[in-house]
């Protein structure tokens, strides 16, 4: 793979699926990252298999709307862009997990009775966590999806036993973040958290560590802990995760507004008192572009060390950032809530901004992330 370049692309690269249009009503973001590796050739196939795999656990029995939501998520494309160098078996595992994760979010976190009841959600989460860590245990209740996660756990043990601890702790981190988001919606009069708290917890709620671990797992790479724990690597990693999540908040805002779940969306958090949704979106874009400018500098800085393992690590992070944006332009999960923004013809030009709305390389006044900029050299 080549290094991240500050060059925009036009059209679809070889092996890629056609890109759709940027969602109507969502301001464009700055993304100079060139997608490397295209889309995994098995992306569409593994996506179709994932829906049927999930159906085999009875997840969609009486819940056909949930099946439609999972189909609309296009998990095959999502993982095929994020992990283009994955083995076929690894990509299927990643796609199956993504389908289960979307279903878990839709069924327990974003909709349904547990989406506003953190105590009820904790009961579900703890039961599922127990079976993820101990897949030999029988299911003793009617918790949907626990059998699916058990199947995934068994496959992780076979495919990447060295990453088993990360698999378990990643789910713990995800469910902790999820219950925090549910508690925010249920309590405090539904008021959004402050931006510093939001950015400190959003990566957990978004299962970023798990997504990243699955990319490494399926592509057969793992940055050693002695390198992973460095502050510059930590800053680049956290910045990459946040770029993915800020873009998701922008694109999913309309969908979340329909279910009254926007108080954990950065658009709502950054909307000024008396301001409009458009004001909030502009502030999110400014923050996104400022973090993107930082990430590009950090990625070059880490590549300059000459360590091939770091280069590979940055390649994966950069590919994930861009893959998320490209997938978002195609996923009906979002476009169904943005009339007029359905996928267009092959070769459609992505609607990225050529320049950042805010390209400052000084830290914003957000104490939970200001340390990222301190790693610049």
């Amino acid at each position: 793979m080549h290094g991240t370049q500050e060059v925009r692309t036009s059209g679809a690269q070889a092996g890629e699926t056609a890109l759709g249009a940027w969602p109507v009503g969502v301001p464009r973001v700055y993304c100079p990252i060139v997608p490397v590796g295209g889309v995994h050739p098995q992306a569409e196939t593994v996506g179709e298999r994932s829906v049927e795999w999930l159906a085999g656990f009875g997840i969609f029995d009486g819940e056909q709307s949930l099946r439609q939501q999972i189909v609309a998520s296009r998990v095959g494309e999502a993982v095929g862009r994020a992990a283009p160098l994955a083995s076929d078996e690894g990509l299927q595992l990643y796609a199956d997990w993504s389908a289960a994760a979307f279903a878990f979010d839709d069924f327990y976190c974003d909709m349904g009775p547990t989406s506003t009841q953190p105590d009820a959600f904790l009961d579900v989460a703890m039961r599922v966590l127990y079976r993820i860590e101990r897949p030999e245990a029988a299911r003793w209740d009617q918790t949907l999806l626990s059998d699916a996660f058990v199947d995934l756990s068994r496959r992780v043990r076979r495919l990447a036993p060295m990453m088993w601890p990360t698999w378990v702790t990643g789910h713990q981190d995800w469910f902790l973040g999820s219950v925090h988001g549910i508690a925010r919606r249920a309590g405090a009069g539904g008021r959004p958290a402050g931006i510093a708290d939001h950015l400190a917890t959003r990566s957990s709620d978004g299962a970023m560590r798990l997504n990243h671990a699955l990319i490494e797992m399926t592509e057969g790479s793992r940055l050693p802990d002695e390198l992973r724990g460095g502050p510059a690597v930590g800053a680049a990693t956290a910045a990459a995760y946040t770029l993915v999540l800020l873009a998701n908040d922008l694109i999913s805002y309309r969908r979340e507004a329909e279910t009254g779940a926007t108080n954990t969306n950065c658009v709502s958090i950054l909307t000024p008192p008396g301001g409009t949704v458009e004001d909030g979106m502009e502030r999110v874009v400014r923050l996104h572009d400022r973090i993107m400018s930082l990430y590009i500098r950090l990625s070059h800085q880490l590549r300059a060390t000459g360590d091939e393992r770091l280069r590979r690590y940055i390649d994966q992070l950069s590919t994930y950032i861009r893959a998320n944006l490209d997938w978002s332009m195609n996923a009906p999960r979002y476009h169904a809530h943005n009339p007029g923004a359905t996928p267009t013809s092959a070769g459609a030009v992505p609607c990225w901004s050529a320049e950042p709305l805010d390209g400052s390389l000084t830290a914003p006044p957000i104490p939970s992330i200001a340390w990222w900029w301190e790693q610049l050299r």
Side-chain angles (χ1 to χ4, degrees):
M1 297 175 71
H2 304 294
T4 301
Q5 306 170 42
E6 296 188 56
V7 179
R8 293 179 69 235
T9 61
S10 62
Q13 295 192 355
E16 289 198 343
T17 60
L19 291 176
W22 190 248
V24 169
V26 177
R28 296 184 297 174
V29 296
Y30 173 57
C31 184
I33 296 170
V34 175
V36 181
V39 184
H40 194 287
Q42 293 298 312
E44 184 175 354
T45 299
V46 301
E48 293 170 352
R49 289 174 180 164
S50 289
V51 176
E52 297 311 314
W53 169 82
L54 201 55
F57 295 100
I59 305 304
F60 305 136
D61 294 352
E63 293 285 347
Q64 287 307 302
S65 62
L66 181 58
R67 183 187 183 105
Q68 293 169 1
Q69 288 165 210
I70 301 305
V71 171
S73 298
R74 296 186 69 157
V75 296
E77 181 179 348
V79 302
R81 289 186 181 278
L85 303 181
S87 66
D88 290 354
E89 180 184 9
L91 194 73
Q92 190 67 64
L93 171 66
Y94 189 10
D96 291 351
W97 177 83
S98 297
F102 275 126
F104 189 90
D105 269 346
D106 288 342
F107 199 82
Y108 291 116
C109 303
D110 298 334
M111 292 171 272
T114 62
S115 64
T116 56
Q117 298 177 22
D119 53 345
F121 174 79
L122 271 175
D123 286 340
V124 169
M126 294 306 294
R127 286 193 290 264
V128 175
L129 280 173
Y130 183 87
R131 299 199 67 217
I132 286 172
E133 187 172 5
R134 303 168 184 86
E136 297 78 17
R139 179 156 63 106
W140 65 89
D141 72 334
Q142 298 303 309
T143 302
L144 285 177
L145 289 163
S146 63
D147 285 346
F149 282 107
V150 163
D151 180 71
L152 292 166
S153 284
R154 290 172 175 157
R155 291 157 63 188
V156 168
R157 277 184 172 173
R158 183 179 67 251
L159 180 68
M162 292 297 292
M163 294 193 72
W164 176 258
T166 302
W167 169 256
V168 173
T169 58
H171 282 92
Q172 293 169 346
D173 179 65
W174 173 31
F175 289 176
L176 178 62
S178 296
V179 76
H180 178 266
I182 290 170
R184 287 299 314 175
R185 287 194 291 273
R191 294 193 305 274
I195 187 61
D197 283 338
H198 177 78
L199 294 181
T201 59
R202 182 70 175 91
S203 289
S204 296
D205 190 15
M208 288 294 99
R209 292 180 191 175
L210 267 173
N211 271 285
H212 189 187
L214 281 157
I215 291 170
E216 289 189 300
M217 188 186 305
T218 59
E219 292 195 339
S221 67
R222 172 73 177 173
L223 188 68
D225 289 342
E226 62 268 23
L227 293 177
R228 187 182 294 268
V233 174
T237 302
Y241 292 175
T242 302
L243 287 169
V244 169
L245 292 166
L246 289 175
N248 285 353
D249 277 2
L250 281 169
I251 295 166
S252 65
Y253 181 84
R254 309 291 181 186
R255 178 179 185 270
E256 292 175 5
E258 292 187 2
T259 61
T262 60
N263 70 321
T264 54
N265 186 299
C266 214
V267 173
S268 291
I269 293 168
L270 289 179
T271 298
T276 65
V277 169
E278 288 70 26
D279 295 330
M281 286 190 170
E282 180 180 335
R283 290 190 175 190
V284 173
V285 172
R286 286 185 175 278
L287 179 60
H288 173 281
D289 291 1
R290 193 166 183 165
I291 295 173
M292 178 66 80
S293 300
L294 166 76
Y295 175 79
I296 295 300
R297 284 287 296 271
L298 280 175
S299 65
H300 289 326
Q301 181 178 307
L302 290 169
R303 289 176 191 282
T305 65
D307 191 304
E308 178 64 18
R309 296 166 298 178
L310 276 176
R311 183 197 66 79
R312 179 77 180 99
Y313 185 82
I314 292 299
D315 278 347
Q316 287 175 322
L317 284 177
S318 298
T319 296
Y320 184 35
I321 293 168
R322 176 58 188 265
N324 176 68
L325 290 169
D326 287 344
W327 162 74
S328 296
M329 289 193 292
N330 284 344
R333 182 180 181 89
Y334 303 122
H335 289 286
H337 298 261
N338 292 276
T342 52
T344 57
S345 60
V349 179
C351 297
W352 313 132
S353 293
E355 300 292 335
L357 197 58
D358 181 349
S360 172
L361 289 175
T362 59
I366 304 174
S368 60
I369 66 171
W371 66 274
W372 299 349
W373 281 261
E374 295 172 4
Q375 312 314 314
L376 288 174
R377 297 290 180 264

